[in-house]
Amino acid sequence: MRLSFTIALRALTRNRAHTLINILGLALGLTACLLILLYLRYERSYDSWLPDSDRIYQVQATWHEPGQPITHAQTSPFPVRDTLAGGFPQIESLSVMRNGQTVTTRDGEAIFIDSAIVDPAFFDIFRLPFVHGSAAGALSDTNAIALTEKEAIRHFGTSDVMGRTMSLGAGPGKRDYRIGGVLRDLPKNSSLRFGILFRYDPAEAAGLPASAIGWGNMSQQHYLKLRPGADAHAINAALPAWEKRVVAPQMIGGRAASQADIMDLALVPITGVHLGVAQHGALTPGGDPRALATFVVVALLTLAMAVMNFVNLSTARATQRAREVALRKVLGASRPRIVVQLIGESLMLAALATLLALAAVELLTPWLGGRIGADLEVTYPGIGGLLLPAILLFVASGLLGGLYPALYLSRFRPAQVLRANKSAAETPGNGRLRTILVVVQFAIAIGLIVCTCVIYSQTRHVATVDPGYRRDGLIQIESAWRFAGDSSEYEAARRELLAIPGVVAAGRTNLGLAATNKNILAVRTSGAAQDSAIGYYAVDAEYLRTIDVPLLAGRQLGDRYARDRVVRAEADGAVLQQGAGGFNVVLNRNAVTLLGLGAPQAAIGKTIKVGLDGEDMADATIVGVVEDTRIRTARDALEPIIYGYDPDRTSLVLVRYGGADPAAVMAGINRVWRRFEPEIPFQGHFVEALVAEIYAADRARGALFAAFAAIAVLIACLGLFGLAAFTAERRTKEIGIRKVLGARIRDIVRLLTWQFSKPVVLANLVAWPAAWWAMRDWLNDFDVRVALTPGPFVLAGALALAIAVGTVAGHAIRVARLNPILALRYE
Amino acid sequence: MLSMRELSRVYRTDTIETSALSSISLDIADGEFVAIMGPSGCGKSTLLNIIGMLDSPSSGSYVFNGQEVAGLSEGKLADVRKHNIGFIFQSFNLVDELSVRENIELALLYHDVASTERRRRVDEVMDKVGIAHRAKHRPSQLSGGQQQRVAVARALVGSPKLILADEPTGNLDTHHGEEVMRMLQQLNREGSTIVMVTHSPSHADYAGRVINMLDGQILIEQRRAA
């Protein structure tokens, strides 16, 4: 055993370049695998830390309205809280959770705090640990609140704040609350997010309009805990029938319609929320299972490439080792013993690579965690530790890399090897296998380069594609509730905004640019059998001009026309029609097409019916048609939109500026804001930055792909470098002969580089269709996308070829410069 | 054909300086068959390498076909070599991965000869050395004598003015050795200039002139009647 170990160690140290290439390649592959494993486990660990996580469910809703894309939401209708538990006795507890932000003042500055309104049952469902207080008393009445430890320390400098009061809210809603409990901070792998919990007050619903308490109000999550042994599948199977029973049909504009027809409820395990298909209304950014699966595959491919290097270099070295193996056989070693020894060498190498990879993982984990905003932690023992997978990967890579070379080397016949002038190891099949493996390696590398190029160009494309409005020189101010309606405050603030040097326009809306929320209306045209669902934007007269949307036909909405304005009655939500003709609206091109109104000009003057707030439908006359705008991501289809002059519902202000320092404009807006709205923190964003933010995940994915592509190319080149070294050595005699026969250095370099370029060229034939298929699939997710031109494919192929040639050229030049006499004399 | 004056070749390492050739002066005329003999290490292979422009002299003059080649670059030497000189080695130096035909054709690959012309010349030379029936075989499938015939064919296919043979019979049995020598003699009679290094006095007898070397110098030259 000791002798075998010594032999193995010497065999590895004898050819340091070979050993180093193998160890570095394997270490790179293993590092990629282990880091992706950490990331995968982290993504799958969301909410599994919750006690009874196997019994906790979120009620999710899927909406399939005509004319609208299907929406999978983590939110569910308002009445679920009071109806669902009654229909299913398997439910042990149920709580609503309405998320939002509350404000408070600290050191004279207004600040936001993530908040949620929940039922006391919330703590029955989520048995969250308390630092101070307990679940029983935390939300004992509607004046009590529970804080997270972080918020307590942020506001009071200590977590020991039981019984102290905190002034929260703004305007008339501002009041003092008593702190009834301090919760431990939620870990990052949680789909919940809050800093403060308020107690839900059912009495508040009594004063709300019908639309706010109906099945169309999707502004809240619902969580529930099932009784032990209860079957969620059975409940999900029974939910459609339950919906039909419970959701009462509404008369919308004289037609009976039920939300149950366009909505499906389902219980989704809390542990499946983060990676689930429903991400609309998520409290924390959801994971992408497809991207995750892709990265797992890519990491495994990277490791496979390293293992291929091992096989390639080991079989290439067979020429050198054949004599040693033959001698050992002559001295009595059996084939199994030689196989064991050679696999032992491979395992020793894999062990070194694994140690190196674990060290790299330790070093890179904080960096990776920071990049993806995850609490990644390296632990070793147990099911969730890295030790077991590291051992498995070590054994797998060691065995996979060592088995074929061991079986191959150990089959040599001693007599043949020892008698032959040249080694019997160089059989044609051996070289063919190496070529195949090099082709596979470079196919992976080229495929990854193509994917990186396409992802990069698509990310650039969506960031620069014409959105139908002008992104540059535009600032969006959020939480501008104070400026809704016809307040004189807004008029005064607007005058001050326009007085800021560079500011040229300001307008209001209820849905911001790059928004994720929607406001959908039922729209009816004469003769249509079914109502259409169209997005509604409540804007003021300046909004479309401010964001600079081209007018295609008709006119903009404005104060000169009395019927332009949407005027509402009191809290019942019904729309007061202006005389008998209703109100005027502007449609975008897509809405005109969807409603079948013909060309933009033809739509002007036509009247449609819209269910603006409640059951009644109001007449809306089209006075203008504007160009389509891409308000959301490039993944979303262009929306059909109705713009209503409806300043009462606005909550954002858009400011257009030009010819001024953007930072100075932002600072000026901030000053105006603080003068008019001291209680709400200023939230101004450059629209270009907001749009860039929604593609941050795509850019991160692109960067990760680029990193993998770089690793793959590096591993492939390490292998090629090793193979080129061996080949150059093996072909020394041939090169000598060719030089004697008149070959110049460039002829020899061309000969050797072409030998290694052929598999790389061949690899393109494998990589291109696979990459094309994968990228077409990925691009199909986008409504606007780059064309899959030959560019990235040719570029990737050329790049791989250039890298391969560069890797091989060094060896080729060195060998080509050798004096042929030396090569021929010692042959 | 070639003329050497006061030609020396010194090999230097950090600590040792070895003189392989020392002030050699030698003239070889067109159509000569010269055998170089001498004990191992006397410099005969070095002389052959310098004649074949595989090595360069440390000092002295080497005029080949009226052109001074002693100071030429490696590229220029390769050009002169490929158009004028054919080589035959003791260990044949065939490329194992190539067939007989491909090995012979190799010598024309660097001569910018069109493929049809290459094929014609390879066929012609294979017929000449009697190896045409083995055209598709690999060197490992041939006997030593056959391999050396392939090497001779390869040396001939470029129609060189000078054939250099470094112990061409060294790896062959007597029968095959004689066969190769008769082939070289025939080539000489057809006009080829041949310089051959050999240990065998009987094979040296095929040459018109025998040069004996010792310690890097020409000890004695004997001319024989044709």
Side-chain angles (χ1 to χ4, degrees), chain A residues 16 184 206 229 395 488 518 558 660 700 714 782:
Chain A
R16 288 196 186 89
R184 263 198 210 298
V395 173
S488 55
K518 290 183 177 180
L714 187 63
F782 290 87

Side-chain angles (χ1 to χ4, degrees), chain A residues 202-371:
Chain A
E204 280 180 15
L208 293 175
S211 60
I213 59 171
W215 288 90
N217 175 359
M218 288 282 291
S219 304
Q220 55 280 310
Q221 271 90 3
H222 289 95
Y223 294 95
L224 57 86
K225 183 183 268 183
L226 294 182
R227 296 185 194 286
D231 181 10
H233 292 102
I235 297 177
N236 281 339
L239 271 170
W242 177 83
E243 283 174 41
K244 288 258 185 290
R245 276 200 315 276
V246 175
V247 183
Q250 290 171 286
M251 292 302 288
I252 298 178
R255 285 185 192 169
S258 170
Q259 301 278 12
D261 296 335
I262 53 169
M263 173 197 69
D264 296 316
L265 295 176
L267 306 191
V268 173
I270 187 77
T271 50
V273 167
H274 176 67
L275 289 174
V277 64
Q279 292 302 330
H280 185 82
L283 303 177
T284 55
D288 183 346
R290 268 205 334 176
L292 215 54
T294 308
F295 285 128
V296 170
V297 170
V298 170
L300 288 174
L301 284 176
T302 313
L303 182 64
M305 287 174 73
V307 171
M308 285 177 205
N309 268 355
F310 193 96
V311 174
N312 255 353
L313 294 178
S314 299
T315 52
R317 278 184 67 213
T319 328
Q320 293 179 348
R321 298 209 67 182
R323 194 165 288 271
E324 173 207 325
V325 170
L327 275 171
R328 290 166 69 79
K329 279 191 169 179
V330 168
L331 295 173
S334 63
R335 190 178 177 198
R337 192 165 168 184
I338 288 170
V339 169
V340 167
Q341 195 219 313
L342 292 169
I343 288 179
E345 281 179 32
S346 164
L347 284 171
M348 193 186 286
L349 217 131
L352 288 170
T354 308
L355 287 176
L356 209 60
L358 285 173
V361 167
E362 287 271 4
L363 286 171
L364 290 172
T365 299
W367 171 82
L368 182 67
R371 295 278 300 185

